Amino acid sequence: MRILVIEDDADLAQFLRKGLEEERHTVEMVADGETGLMLAVDESYDLLIVDVMLPKVDGLTLCRRLRERGNRSPILLLTARDSVEDKVAGLDAGADDYLTKPFAFTELVARIRALLRRGGPHVGSRLKAKDLEMDPASRRVWRGGKEITLTSKEFSLLEFLLRNRDIVLTRTAILERVWGLNYDPMTNVVDVYIRSLRVKIDRDFSFPLIATVRGVGYKLEASE
């Protein structure tokens, strides 16, 4: 699933990223509530993991604002506060579940599975572009009916391209969303993985889907 983690504790954030990616989720991370709110409004996520005590916009306010806008993505709150009143406040703000710090990662994973089983606006929906199809839930990809095997990072890159099909994406934007905000902007890792994807989803087919926009970046062409 595509998960947005909004957490300002850098060590905990990296711990969550590593563990969730090992569980084969696609993870995006931000460190403040204001940025997290903008992303959650503009993008589609299967789950939000939100710390309560955040800079700029706190977690409870973020939950309320999302629900007021009609966003129904599942929200799991993380907090050091464990009183009944705090839990009630979080749930009343629109959160779906509440996990108290410190927590075992296995419990977090179990709660995520439970939330995703309940379903949401994006859970189970397939992504398509011409004869290319992706199922984010099972992490499977087909082109022209032929199943294609991708690595975890190839899958995350293709998912980002599919979710933004027909939009030119800069290398910096791809780095931030697929590899993390602090990744070295001078690396050529994006170009390397684009070449790898092209071998798998373009080379043996009658027309290419991934286009290079010279001097800018890449886009996945979905329009006829």
Side-chain angles (χ1 to χ4, degrees), residues 71-89:
N71 186 300
R72 308 315 304 167
S73 295
I75 299 175
L76 173 62
L77 282 180
L78 303 179
T79 181
R81 298 176 177 176
D82 60 359
S83 71
V84 172
E85 291 78 12
D86 289 322
K87 293 179 181 179
V88 170

Side-chain angles (χ1 to χ4, degrees), residues 10-29:
D11 290 337
L12 177 56
Q14 290 306 314
F15 168 74
L16 291 173
R17 177 195 287 278
K18 182 175 184 295
L20 292 171
E21 288 183 344
E22 288 176 353
E23 292 289 322
R24 299 187 65 81
H25 298 295
T26 299
V27 183
E28 296 179 29
M29 306 187 65

